[in-house]
Amino acid sequence: MLKDMLVLASKSPRRAEILTQSGLAFIVRAADVPETRRGSEDPGEFVRRLAREKAEAVERRDGEVILGADTIVLVDGEILGKPRDAGDAARMLRLLSGRAHQVLTGICLRTAARDIVDCAVTEVVFCPLREAEISAYVQSGEPLDKAGAYAIQGLASKFVERIAGCYFNVVGLPVSLVYRYLHG
């Protein structure tokens, strides 16, 4: 797959930035897929399915590998996607305050020969947050388009006590996992 052009099936600037920083050449052809969970679908199945659907929504041309990805935050079995509004963002941050949670990113690489689907999981621990910190962070606008209502690489970095796993997974793309599949 090394010689094929990588196509990112996402309009996420964070995923594009991760790929750029890693030195992987790519183009963007964004997919528009509804991000709705099906019934009792478990979180890992959910992100893997969405990654596959995003990769399948983009036409694959000869010499291309399509990369689809989807990221969620999971706490106490509840999936936290992107918040609906500022109130929902504050609710999510209260749930994460002083606790561990998991960030799951499903990936799908579509090649001429096959689809590779996988999921990376990173555990993140937040320090306890005061209501004033939550309010100020929500007012910054940063959490409104992020799964789990926070950006580890941004203003929320000060809330992160520790992580176990891939940092870039929390940002939105487990680039080392993608790289291993592309060069494996």
Side-chain angles (χ1 to χ4, degrees), residues 57-100:
V58 171
E59 178 188 353
R60 197 192 68 73
R61 300 174 187 147
D62 286 343
E64 291 182 341
V65 175
I66 309 295
L67 170 60
D70 192 73
T71 302
I72 59 165
V73 171
L74 184 66
V75 62
D76 291 338
E78 181 181 350
I79 292 175
L80 304 181
K82 295 175 184 173
R84 292 181 303 280
D85 54 31
D88 195 34
R91 177 191 70 82
M92 290 181 187
L93 291 164
R94 285 185 200 102
L95 279 173
L96 301 176
S97 175
R99 307 185 57 210

Side-chain angles (χ1 to χ4, degrees), residues 167-183:
Y167 166 82
F168 293 102
N169 182 47
V170 183
V171 179
L173 186 68
V175 69
S176 62
L177 182 63
V178 170
Y179 181 81
R180 284 194 312 270
Y181 282 126
L182 289 173
H183 298 289

Side-chain angles (χ1 to χ4, degrees), residues 13-58:
R14 290 164 296 283
R15 289 188 181 116
E17 184 177 328
I18 291 168
L19 289 172
T20 299
Q21 289 174 344
S22 72
L24 290 170
F26 69 98
I27 59 172
V28 174
R29 223 180 289 141
D32 189 20
V33 171
E35 297 180 358
T36 307
R37 189 174 176 197
R38 294 181 183 158
S40 61
E41 187 174 41
D42 89 22
E45 290 172 355
F46 176 53
V47 293
R48 285 189 294 271
R49 177 181 57 81
L50 287 180
R52 179 186 292 273
E53 288 179 1
K54 289 176 181 182
E56 290 173 345
V58 171

